[in-house]
Each structure stands twice: as C-alpha cells, then as structure tokens.
Amino acid sequence: MKYHLYKNFFFKVYAIVEDGRVRIKTSGIASSLMKPMVSGMLDIFDGEKPAKVEDGRLIFSTWMPPIPSTPFSRSVANQIKGLRGNMVPEQVTISITEECPNNCIHCALPDTKNKDRLSPELVKDVIDQSLDMGTTLIIFDGGEPLVYEGLEDLIRYVDTNRAVSAMFTSGVGLTPERARSLKDAGLYMVSVSFDSANEEGHDFMRGRAGVYKDAINAVKNLVDAGLLVNIYVVISPRNIDELDDFYTLACEMGVHELSFYEIVPTGRWIDHENEILSSDDHRKLDDFVARADVMDGPRVFSIPHVMKTTGCFAGRKWLHVTPQGDVLPCACIPIPFGNIHKDTLKSVWKKIRKDPVYNADSCLMRDTEFRTLHIDM
C-alpha cells in the first residue's frame, strides 16, 4: 500500500512498507529535479522501522502525526518552509502545572516552591497561537499533567485537523478508566518516563517509592486503551548500562517506541556538570541503536542521533512554555525570551529566530561556550 507523504501536480512522494521497513518512492515529471532538494527530509524515513502500521495508516513515529492526515500534510509544508529559511515551532510543549507527587533529582523545572499552574483559558490561547503558527504536535507536560483538573478538556481543544496531542507523564494515578478517558478526549500519544529499568533505581531518581509501579501500570493501561505509547528515557551515566534492559522492558510492555534523550545540566541537575555522557557512553549508545535497529521489537528513537543530522531542535523546531508562562527555546534551556501573560507566541518566536545561536549543529546545553555566555554567569 502507498502512504502519500506529499503530492502536487508535478511531484509526489510516497512511502511503502517492505519487510517491516519504510521505503520512500517519488514520481512525477519534476521528480528528478525535486528529489535531490528534499533528500535530507526523505532520508529521515527511508529504510527505517515504523512505530505502527495500520490498515490505511502509517505511524512512522509516535512523535509525528499519522500518514496520511492533515496534521502530517501541515508538517510536510513546514519542512518545505524550513528549506526556505522560514522555521516553524513544530512541537510546542506546555508545562500546564508545576504540581507533581515526585521529587526527581534531574527535574528541568526550577524549584520555585510556588506550585504554579497555567489557567485553562491561557493554555487554550497558547494552543490557538501555536496552531496558527503551524505547530503539528502539542505536548502537555508538567510537573505531572495528570494532576491538572480539566486536562481532558484541554486535549479536546486541540484541533485534530491541524495537530495531534501528546502527554509526558510519570504515570501516577493512570488507572484503566483514566486511560480510556484520555483516549476518548482525543489524546494521540503518551510518553511514560523511566529513569531505570529496575524499581529501585527508578524510584531513587524520581524521589518517591512506588513511582516505578505507577509507570508500569500506566503503560499497561494505556496500551490496553489503544493509545500510542512511548517509553521515554533520559540517558545519564547512571543508566547508560541499562539500554538493553530498557529495550527488553519496552518489548515486554508492547509499547510502540522507545525514545532516548541525553541528560544535560539544567534545573535540579545544574550542579551535576560532571554527570553527563562521556565519549565512551556515546559509543555505548551508538552500539545499542545499531543493534536495536535489527532486533524484533519497537522502534528506537534516539534524539542525540537525530540531532547529528538535523542540529539542535531548540528554537528551531521546539518551543516550551513553563507553568510561570515563560517561553523558552526548549525545556532544558532556562532562558526566557518572553512570557505568554504579556507577549504573543509569534513575537517571542521571531525574537528567538533572530538570534543566530539557535541554529546550532548540536545540543546547545552541551556547548561549553554557550553555557559560559548564557548559563554559568
């Protein structure tokens, strides 16, 4: 079956799935001219393992809208705009509340002790502004978003003709009934966070006994409810040797994707500059990603690897809103460029895009010069 990624009168791009791999094909009278121009975008898909294949629908990654869909068509249009230098915040993460039952030692949020939360009206306004700018993935984050009263109403508010909605969670209180409620509200994907593949290690990092069991039960309930589920792991020197264990857990739980993000010294981890991945740790991750690619299990999405070809997403593809309303280039860069209580999202985005720093080839928070100039002052 053909899954159309892009088509006009002169040029068509479509995907087929062969032997569990996505293969990209082009056609049309302008194919020979256009294909080299968009090869960088197409290479993201070609030869990769998809997260899920359904009748009439291809889900390449839990981080992307399904193919075909109008949100995916908007995403493709964004990529074409990007080729012309017109970047769009494709992913907007909204930390709707600072409230959280956990006490994670690597939490990116500042310890304000105020337990701030954004009002539903303000969140909806941010959603509207994001969609108008071209955003195709709205992520509800915290704190713990599940403790936010009215979460389902916010999920319903996201126009599914323009974007898909997702949520980051530790899994607290995610009963079978709550999972079905989220599904009925229109939630597309859920990322459940794991810091260790074993109970003791995970509970220690999360600062609360029982959070590992919460996460395990959450994954089970979400999968049973028919949601797309991603296990999200922040890789650090403390869990770099658990990569195979995480994959085994992902296989056993039947999730659709296993995602890795590299820890950086920010938030509560700001004083742990020595506890970031070494070159040897990166080799371990490289080796695992190569092995996992040929294993019979869920798709692996390693953000550090993607950044090697796309560059840092902060302020280029990502935008983050804190519970205080501050607008950051990403959740890990504690540099506000504005605040939604007084600034429009579009004006803040323009301000970020005028700063040449946010065209970096690699993660800015791992850049010594960037940290010296902007963070460690």
Side-chain angles (χ1 to χ4, degrees), residues 116-287:
D116 289 318
R117 67 192 302 273
L118 299 173
S119 70
E121 294 74 23
L122 194 55
V123 175
K124 290 178 180 180
D125 186 47
V126 171
I127 291 171
D128 285 337
Q129 292 185 57
S130 301
L131 296 180
D132 287 344
M133 292 173 66
T135 300
T136 56
L137 178 60
I138 302 286
I139 299 178
F140 298 104
D141 195 6
E144 174 50 67
L146 285 171
V147 304
Y148 187 98
E149 186 176 350
L151 172 61
E152 279 84 349
D153 289 337
L154 298 180
I155 294 168
R156 289 188 192 94
Y157 191 77
V158 177
D159 185 350
T160 56
N161 287 316
R162 304 169 79 186
V164 293
S165 59
M167 178 180 70
F168 282 123
T169 179
S170 66
V172 59
L174 218 164
T175 62
E177 294 75 21
R178 191 70 193 276
R180 289 193 293 270
S181 175
L182 295 168
K183 171 73 171 177
D184 292 343
L187 190 64
Y188 177 71
M189 181 272 279
V190 183
S191 279
V192 182
S193 299
F194 282 82
D195 292 309
S196 174
N198 67 77
E199 183 172 1
E200 181 180 1
H202 182 71
D203 286 1
F204 174 79
M205 288 292 289
R206 294 273 150 173
R208 179 173 69 86
V211 67
Y212 179 83
K213 291 178 180 176
D214 284 343
I216 291 293
N217 288 331
V219 171
K220 291 178 179 177
N221 295 333
L222 291 164
V223 171
D224 288 345
L227 279 151
L228 282 178
V229 183
N230 170 57
I231 284 181
Y232 183 78
V233 181
V234 177
I235 294 295
S236 74
R238 300 189 183 197
N239 61 14
I240 190 64
D241 293 319
E242 295 185 54
L243 297 175
D244 285 284
D245 296 328
F246 283 121
Y247 195 77
T248 298
L249 179 65
C251 290
E252 291 175 346
M253 301 295 292
V255 302
H256 304 95
E257 197 159 24
L258 172 62
S259 298
F260 295 118
Y261 189 75
E262 181 178 356
I263 201 164
V264 294
T266 191
R268 292 177 188 164
W269 204 254
I270 195 71
D271 296 324
H272 293 256
E273 289 196 55
N274 294 325
E275 287 199 69
I276 59 175
L277 298 189
S278 65
S279 56
D280 185 54
D281 291 333
H282 276 282
R283 281 191 291 270
K284 291 179 181 179
L285 182 58
D286 291 343
D287 174 69

Side-chain angles (χ1 to χ4, degrees), residues 28-43:
I29 59 177
S31 181
S32 60
L33 175 66
M34 291 294 297
K35 189 174 182 179
M37 297 175 61
V38 296
S39 60
M41 181 175 66
L42 301 183
D43 288 346

Side-chain angles (χ1 to χ4, degrees), residues 87 307 310-318 328-330 333-335 337 349-375:
M87 307 300 291
M307 284 187 179
T310 64
C312 184
F313 294 144
R316 292 176 67 245
K317 295 179 180 291
W318 289 354
L328 315 179
C330 87
I333 299 180
I335 304 175
F337 276 76
W349 180 252
K350 285 183 176 180
K351 187 176 179 181
I352 295 174
R353 292 307 307 145
K354 287 180 180 178
D355 191 332
V357 167
Y358 296 97
N359 290 299
D361 292 332
S362 58
C363 176
L364 284 166
M365 290 297 285
R366 287 182 55 85
D367 186 306
T368 303
E369 183 178 353
F370 175 82
R371 293 188 60 84
T372 299
L373 290 174
H374 302 284
I375 307 297

